[in-house]
Amino acid sequence: MIDISGSGQLPLLTQRLSDLRASPVRAMLEASQKPDVISFAGGLPAPETFAKATLPASAEAALQYGPSEGEPRLRALIAEELQAIGLDCDADQVLILSGSQQGIDLSAKLTVDAGTRIAVESPTYLAALQVFRFFGAAFESMPPDLSVNWTRQDHPAMAYIIPTFQNPTGRCWSADEREAFAHNCEASDVILFEDDPYRDLAYEACERRPVASWMKQGSWIYQGSFSKTLSPGLRLGFMVASRDLYPHLLLLKQAADLHSNRLSQYMVIDQLTAPDRAARRDFLVSTYRARRDAFADAMRRHLGNAVEWQVPPGGLFFWLTLPDHVDVDALLAAAIKRKVLFTPGRPFYADEALASPSIRLNFSHASQEAADAGLAILGDLLRA
Ligand SMILES: Cc1ncc(COP(=O)(O)O)c(C=O)c1O
């Protein structure tokens, strides 16, 4: 583990580094690898849902350098799928990413100078806050009803949103909210940045049409990931952008890593065109739905009424609001002693003053027995 906390004066390193905070999730990932630890931290998919990692015979070509945009076949497949869900785009607007985390980095490089206003949900994905903060963003936390008063003269540069099965809350925006938000961005020249890694993990029917599909003019970026549906170790995601932004994002991608791993891209092409693809997706969704439901049952049994939460309609997380008197840091320290990990809610807030005691629990990784045992321990600790 790198300790950046007590770094003091570092004359040869950038000023920006002082805004880089270690992610609590990354820090816990190491601890969560130990066999006797029950981890509700991180967003780890269940290994039994991973796609079989076989290299297609054609993959030899993938050992050479490739195009920065990504493999043409993969870009075409992605564009086709996005068109089918209502997003009007062509393959030449698709950029293959080394994980969708890279899309956040490229979007930040595209838009954020020191003091640039970035609108975010509150709470939102903590590793996005980490990146935007690194480049000097000044955050604007949007209210839960998403009401904003932006004008062409006074508006943030970009709005970063996760409207479908949000990380950390699991929330899914309604059609009206999606349409109104897209119109707000268009009307006030705000770049819409929609992050959508969980859209396929839908356990109930809900609106999932991309907000970007309502953007008829204006600038937008929409991104997705293969981490949650195929495997995170592939490190593969994609972004699609309006034509004014795309060339800049492509240059930033080139400068960052030339192109994404071609072996991973070949494997993903293979998976997207596999005859059993629909069956795999059904298996994934039904496995996670069962896990979510068992997890909710165990929470009802072990956590009692003092904790507030809702069953998420999709995604990988439960978001729990705890009674005001709970000290979440002390709870985490006590839980770690008993080999249970969770993610505290505070780092998900751009403005930590808005955070009430809350925690995020991942339900996809732990087995049902482990989840039950871990929640029983959390219940004990909360009652103590
Ligand atoms: C909202 C959101 N965006 C982006 C990512 C990054 O995913 P990846 O880089 O694995 O595609 C995650 C990972 O959990 C996430 O929750």
Side-chain angles (χ1 to χ4, degrees), residues 99-101 104 125 160 162 167 195 197-198 225 227-228 235:
S100 60
Q101 187 65 30
I104 299 172
Y125 177 46
Y160 169 75
I162 313 161
N167 181 3
D195 193 4
Y198 299 103
S225 173
S227 290
K228 315 296 177 184
R235 302 310 305 128

Side-chain angles (χ1 to χ4, degrees), residues 4 31-32 45 111 114 137 169 214 245 248 263 265 269-270 279 364 367 372:
I4 57 169
S32 73
T111 56
T169 62
W214 273 280
L245 302 184
H248 304 292
L263 293 172
Q265 295 187 65
I269 292 171
D270 214 36
S364 57
S367 69
D372 200 76

Side-chain angles (χ1 to χ4, degrees), residues 310-349:
Q310 287 178 347
V311 178
L316 297 181
F317 306 108
F318 281 87
W319 177 249
L320 281 61
T321 307
L322 307 181
D324 281 341
H325 66 267
V326 174
D327 175 344
V328 176
D329 293 336
L331 181 70
L332 180 59
I336 289 173
K337 274 198 189 133
R338 295 183 63 182
K339 301 196 166 169
V340 175
L341 301 180
F342 62 82
T343 310
R346 186 175 290 273
F348 293 94
Y349 287 87

Side-chain angles (χ1 to χ4, degrees), residues 113-144:
D113 285 316
T116 300
R117 288 161 61 189
I118 298 293
V120 291
E121 292 162 281
S122 183
T124 189
Y125 177 46
L126 57 82
L129 292 177
Q130 187 189 34
V131 175
F132 294 134
R133 193 177 280 125
F134 176 71
F135 288 101
F139 291 114
E140 284 188 25
S141 297
M142 296 186 284

Side-chain angles (χ1 to χ4, degrees), residues 91-103:
D92 65 352
Q93 288 170 275
V94 177
L95 181 63
I96 304 300
L97 301 168
S98 302
S100 60
Q101 187 65 30
Q102 182 176 51

Side-chain angles (χ1 to χ4, degrees), residues 182-343:
H183 288 159
N184 278 337
C185 290
E186 266 180 354
S188 50
D189 286 339
V190 173
I191 299 173
L192 171 77
F193 180 17
E194 180 171 9
D195 193 4
D196 201 11
Y198 299 103
R199 65 165 294 108
D200 287 336
L201 308 184
Y203 317 126
E204 319 293 340
C206 38
E207 180 61 61
R208 288 183 289 154
R209 193 174 140 190
V211 174
S213 70
W214 273 280
M215 296 282 285
K216 297 304 168 211
Q217 319 144 32
S219 305
W220 54 268
I221 300 167
Y222 170 91
Q223 68 170 20
S225 173
F226 298 109
S227 290
K228 315 296 177 184
T229 48
L230 296 179
S231 132
L234 290 169
R235 302 310 305 128
L236 220 62
F238 61 87
M239 69 167 33
V240 201
S242 51
R243 291 192 179 279
D244 55 331
L245 302 184
Y246 188 90
H248 304 292
L249 288 161
L250 175 58
L251 286 180
L252 288 166
K253 166 75 185 170
Q254 257 166 27
D257 64 355
L258 303 185
H259 62 77
S260 297
N261 185 317
R262 295 187 78 195
L263 293 172
S264 289
Q265 295 187 65
Y266 271 59
M267 285 189 203
V268 169
I269 292 171
D270 214 36
Q271 289 296 327
L272 296 185
T273 51
D276 65 346
R277 179 167 175 217
R280 265 207 73 245
R281 189 182 291 181
D282 290 350
F283 167 73
L284 178 76
V285 168
S286 56
T287 302
Y288 284 162
R289 185 188 291 113
R291 260 185 209 195
R292 175 200 66 165
D293 292 345
F295 204 93
D297 271 356
M299 288 212 295
R300 281 183 204 106
R301 275 184 281 115
H302 296 304
L303 300 189
N305 295 331
V307 175
E308 280 175 39
W309 51 273
Q310 287 178 347
V311 178
L316 297 181
F317 306 108
F318 281 87
W319 177 249
L320 281 61
T321 307
L322 307 181
D324 281 341
H325 66 267
V326 174
D327 175 344
V328 176
D329 293 336
L331 181 70
L332 180 59
I336 289 173
K337 274 198 189 133
R338 295 183 63 182
K339 301 196 166 169
V340 175
L341 301 180
F342 62 82
T343 310

